[in-house]
Each structure stands twice: as structure tokens, then as C-alpha cells.
Amino acid sequence: MNGTVATTGRVLRQLRHDPRTLVLMLVVPSLLLGLLYLLWRDLPLSPFDGVGLTMLGVFPFVVMFLVTSIAMLRERTSGTLERLLTTPLSRGALLAGYGTAFGLAAVAQAVVTVTVATTLYDLDLRGPLALVVLVAVADAVLGVALGLLASAFARSEFQAVQFMPVVVLPQFFLCGLLVPREQMAGWLQAVSDVLPLTYAVEALQELGRSETVTGRMWADVAVVAGAAALALALAAATLRRRTS
Amino acid sequence: MDDAVTVRHLVVDRGHRRVLPGLSCAVPAGAVTGLLGPSGSGKTTLLRALVGVQRVRSGEVTVLGEPAGSPGLRRRVGYVTQAPSVYPDLTVRENARHFAALYGRGARAADDAVATVGLADAAGQLVADLSGGQRGRASLACALVGEPELLVLDEPTVGLDPVLRVELWDRFHALAAAGTTLLVSSHVMDEAGRCDRLLLLREGRLLADLTPGELRTDAGTADLEEAFLSLVRRGEGVSA
């Protein structure tokens, strides 16, 4: 527990010393969403509500995946990871610390993006905004967990950034935004069924269309959280104390 | 004197190369032991095995009465890697406080450790903005903060000016006088004279285990560099 708190504080302090990254994290999703809003604003049938909603889940996932995979890769290559593993800090506490720190950053990011989207861009969102933030944060933690896992398979930052399209784009293509899931070929739908982003997007769509919170929304959030926990456990298994 | 570390028949491969082909040695408790040898002689590999981060093929490494790498040892052993392993995007103080927290110590202990390595004036600076020598000392502070019983230091004086080097060695002896065991690697033979005991390593084998005085007498020269070379020329295995 102490180790988790110490790691969370340390990662947040590192972020604080890097204001440009912080600003990019907080502002870029809103700006990109604004671009989509302007793109479709004058069209009679704007898909902005559907796409914008989906992007609320995609942005935190992508950003946190990238940031954590690079951060953990740096720990591995700079020797700080090896050093941490000689201290009383447990591997689980280290990863939980990362998840908590970037989860908190994701709360700030989601609050900014959701607020901007619903006020400036008139995004049609019927469910409670707090739950939209919750789904975005669950998505961010999923991104953190997969980023930590992916860093184990990257030897350099060049490799690490290329895991982003590998991990993110298939999930994005198959999440139901480009083609409704019911209209996909059966096998693609089966693949879509096991990809966690599908559930995050579905949860956001549930929140978009109904004012009352549905059981399906909670089930979707649980799936995303479960996938994040699984990825964290796998990431812990890749952190070897003894290396050659 | 009791031994803080005993190594028996340690075999380590890195890649296809056998770095340690069956090393046996001991490190006495409460003293400064120098691990000396040319680069590539296996010093870092041995140190990594002691702190439990090196995959070993066979052999036995006992540290403070427990097998190396035991969870209980993580509180009792401090390790400073050759390349400074601190966070460049944090200040010196933040780094020290982070490691202090991991060892269950407070901000006070962290500030003391920073002062000990002579960085009190630079405590608020980002590590990225420090000189190479300062970075190394920041890294050392992060190990001192845990007040370990055994301190394993891999080339801690590289890139330090002579004044700082002397200060640091005085600090090492003060720690040893207070009961800490130190194992310090170096490839600079003139540092050998500052150690209580020397382990001379060459190509993964223990060439000698003696005091600096014995090394000088043995080789018949006051110059330790010269003495080491004459040992090498004389061949392998003076003591094992």
C-alpha cells in the first residue's frame, strides 16, 4: 500500500515537472473533438453525437497507452526499474501506482473533455456526466495496463510507439463505430466480442441514449475493469527481478 | 571477522559468454571491501548477483545470512548501479524522498541523505540539470536513505573530481565504522589503497583476496597498479 502511494506520488510529480505533456493531455482531446464538430456542423445528418461519444472513450485509452508504455520503457532502460526491484517495493504495488497516477490524470482529462463536449459542441448526452467520466477513466486504466504490458515487448521507444496502432486500431475498427456490430461478418463480430474497447464504447452509447443508468452499462464497465486487471496481472508477470 | 557475503562456485552466463566460471569469495562485515579488476572482468555481474537481480546458472550466494535476492534482504541491502539510476525529471530531494518512502522512512531521512552526499544546495534542482558527478551522488543518496546494512556500490567515484572522491571515501569509512558493510567496485587501481580489503577479479576469476598492504608486499612495489599487473603476469589463482 505504501509502495503504491509512493509510486503514485512520484509519477504525478514527474508529470508536474513536464507541463507541456500535462497540457497536451488535457487539451488535445477537446481540440480534436472540436475539429470533428466543425467538420460535421453544417451537414443535415451529423454523425457527431455517435462519433464524439465514442471518441470520449478512445482518447483516454490511446493517450494513456502511449504515455505509460514509454514511461515504463524508460524505467526499464534507465536502470530505475532494476533499482526499484532491489527495494522493498512489490511489483504489484509499482504497477498499481502507475495505474492510480495515470487514472487520476485521466479523471482530469475526462472532466475537461466531457465539459467542453457538452457545452461548446452540444454533444447529446442523456446519462449522468459523472458516469461518462467513470467510463473514460476505466478506459484510461485499460490503456495504462496494456501500455505497461506492451513495454515488456519493446526494446526501444521506436518499437514502443508502434505498438500503439497494433493495440489500438483493430479495437477501434471493430468497436461498432465504423460498421454496426450486427452487420459485421460473424467472425469479425466474434473478435469484436473479446476486445475490451467494444465494451467501453457500448457503455458510452448506453449513457448517450438513456437518462436512466442501465444494467448493461454497468456490465460493460465491469468487463473493461476486468480486462484492465487481467492486463495488469500479465504485466506484473513480465517484470522479472532476475534478468540475464 | 564475520563475513557479510559468501559466494561459492558462482557460475553466471550472459548471452553465450560465461562471465563468472565458478567464483568463490567472501566480503568481511563492517569494512570497506574493494572489488577491483579491468572492465569486463565480471565486477558488475557479481554485484548484480549479490543484490539478487542477476540470473545465475549455479552456485550459492549468501548475503547477511540469507540467500541473495530474498525478500527480507531488500530492506537491508542498498545498491547503486554504475549508471546513475534516478529520475531525471524529478528534483534531487524528490528522488531521495521517493526512495525513502519505499524503505518506510520519512522526509527527514531523505534530506539527511542528500546532505550527506553534499547536494543540500542542489536539492531543489532537477536531476536532468545536474552534472554527471552530481547525478552519481544523487543516486548514492537514494541508497543511503534506506540505511542498509550492506551497501553495494558499482563504480561510485567515476567522473568525480579528486576533492569529492576523497570526501566520498571518507564517508564510506565513516559508514563502515558505524557497522555498515561496503562493497565498492572500481577499475581505478589508485582507489584500491583506500579499501580495507581487496578482491581482485580478472576474467571472472578471483586473482587475489588480500589487504592493500599485502598486495604491495606481495608484488614488491608501492604502486598498486604495478602490483596488480605483476599479479596478472604471474598467472591465475593466488588465493581462491
Side-chain angles (χ1 to χ4, degrees):
Chain A
M1 195 58 207
N2 270 345
T4 305
V5 174
T7 305
T8 304
R10 186 260 295 176
V11 173
L12 289 178
R13 268 186 284 277
Q14 285 179 293
L15 273 181
R16 204 186 59 200
H17 285 296
D18 187 358
R20 194 176 299 179
T21 293
L22 263 183
V23 170
L24 286 170
M25 219 182 239
L26 292 181
V27 171
V28 166
S30 299
L31 292 179
L32 289 175
L33 217 48
L35 189 61
L36 286 177
Y37 168 70
L38 294 174
L39 181 70
W40 283 316
R41 193 173 56 169
D42 299 328
L43 292 186
L45 264 178
S46 165
F48 179 68
D49 284 336
V51 177
L53 202 54
T54 306
M55 295 318 274
L56 288 180
V58 172
F59 286 136
F61 177 67
V62 174
V63 171
M64 296 305 163
F65 176 87
L66 268 179
V67 172
T68 28
S69 57
I70 298 287
M72 189 43 112
L73 189 72
R74 278 193 201 160
E75 293 257 23
R76 286 177 196 273
T77 52
S78 71
T80 47
L81 179 65
E82 178 161 304
R83 178 171 210 165
L84 290 177
L85 293 177
T86 66
T87 71
L89 177 67
S90 75
R91 293 175 292 176
L94 172 66
L95 296 180
Y98 261 98
T100 311
F102 286 113
L104 288 171
V107 172
Q109 184 191 55
V111 167
V112 171
T113 316
V114 171
T115 308
V116 170
T118 50
T119 54
L120 286 183
Y121 312 147
D122 301 317
L123 185 76
D124 185 23
L125 240 173
R126 306 210 176 130
L129 295 189
L131 285 180
V132 177
V133 171
L134 174 78
V135 175
V137 170
D139 242 355
V141 173
L142 176 70
V144 168
L146 289 173
L148 292 172
L149 181 59
S151 79
F153 302 99
R155 290 280 158 274
S156 68
E157 298 188 356
F158 288 153
Q159 292 178 10
V161 291
Q162 298 195 70
F163 278 120
M164 197 277 279
V166 173
V167 171
V168 172
L169 288 183
Q171 300 207 59
F172 179 68
F173 293 161
L174 297 179
C175 74
L177 177 71
L178 302 183
V179 175
R181 284 174 18 90
E182 310 78 66
Q183 293 172 28
M184 287 178 194
W187 68 277
L188 283 177
Q189 204 179 329
V191 175
S192 165
D193 282 344
V194 297
L195 296 176
L197 194 65
T198 303
Y199 298 88
V201 168
E202 192 181 70
L204 288 168
Q205 281 163 353
E206 291 287 303
L207 285 167
R209 73 171 144 251
S210 90
E211 279 168 37
T212 52
V213 181
T214 62
R216 166 166 273 197
M217 197 283 305
W218 285 116
D220 288 332
V221 172
V223 171
V224 175
L230 180 67
L232 274 181
L234 289 173
T238 65
L239 284 184
R240 307 245 173 228
R241 269 184 211 277
R242 285 185 187 269
T243 52
S244 53
Chain B
M1 208 188 294
D2 279 349
D3 288 330
V5 177
T6 50
V7 177
R8 294 161 72 100
H9 312 299
L10 179 63
V11 180
V12 176
D13 295 335
R14 297 190 83 171
H16 295 295
R17 208 165 73 87
R18 178 147 294 186
V19 181
L20 300 179
L23 181 72
S24 297
C25 63
V27 176
V32 183
T33 300
L35 179 63
L36 289 112
S39 67
S41 57
K43 300 188 296 292
T44 298
T45 304
L46 175 59
L47 299 184
R48 291 182 77 238
L50 298 191
V51 298
V53 296
Q54 175 66 52
R55 198 175 292 151
V56 305
R57 190 172 182 86
S58 63
E60 203 177 281
V61 183
T62 307
V63 176
L64 305 172
E66 291 185 63
S70 306
L73 286 175
R74 286 180 210 138
R75 247 167 230 293
R76 303 169 66 197
V77 178
Y79 175 42
V80 182
T81 50
Q82 196 168 343
S85 45
V86 278
Y87 297 99
D89 47 355
L90 291 181
T91 66
V92 175
R93 186 183 295 120
E94 286 169 335
N95 267 292
R97 289 190 178 178
H98 174 238
F99 282 96
L102 298 184
Y103 288 108
R105 311 214 175 220
R108 179 84 172 273
D111 295 346
D112 287 349
V114 170
T116 295
V117 297
L119 285 180
D121 291 339
Q125 280 187 45
L126 289 181
V127 168
D129 296 336
L130 299 179
S131 72
Q134 286 176 315
R135 262 182 237 193
R137 281 186 285 151
S139 190
L140 178 61
C142 292
L144 292 180
V145 78
E147 291 178 32
E149 294 165 51
L150 169 66
L151 199 47
V152 176
L153 308 171
D154 199 357
E155 310 245 359
T157 57
V158 168
L160 290 188
D161 62 68
V163 178
L164 275 173
R165 211 189 272 194
V166 169
E167 276 177 24
L168 218 48
W169 276 100
D170 288 345
R171 183 68 212 164
F172 295 161
H173 282 288
L175 284 168
T180 306
T181 302
L182 290 97
L183 181 59
V184 185
S185 83
S186 176
H187 67 273
V188 191
M189 283 309 289
D190 66 359
E191 295 201 321
R194 300 183 183 279
C195 300
D196 300 317
R197 186 136 203 110
L198 297 175
L199 299 174
L200 300 183
L201 214 57
R202 186 168 184 269
E203 289 171 359
R205 290 169 206 281
L206 189 67
L207 209 56
D209 172 1
L210 33 59
T211 65
E214 285 166 353
L215 178 58
R216 288 195 188 92
T217 322
D218 215 48
T221 166
D223 183 69
L224 287 167
E225 181 100 47
E226 198 60 36
F228 179 71
L229 285 173
S230 85
L231 264 189
V232 171
R233 282 191 211 104
R234 219 187 294 165
E236 309 276 323
V238 170
S239 62

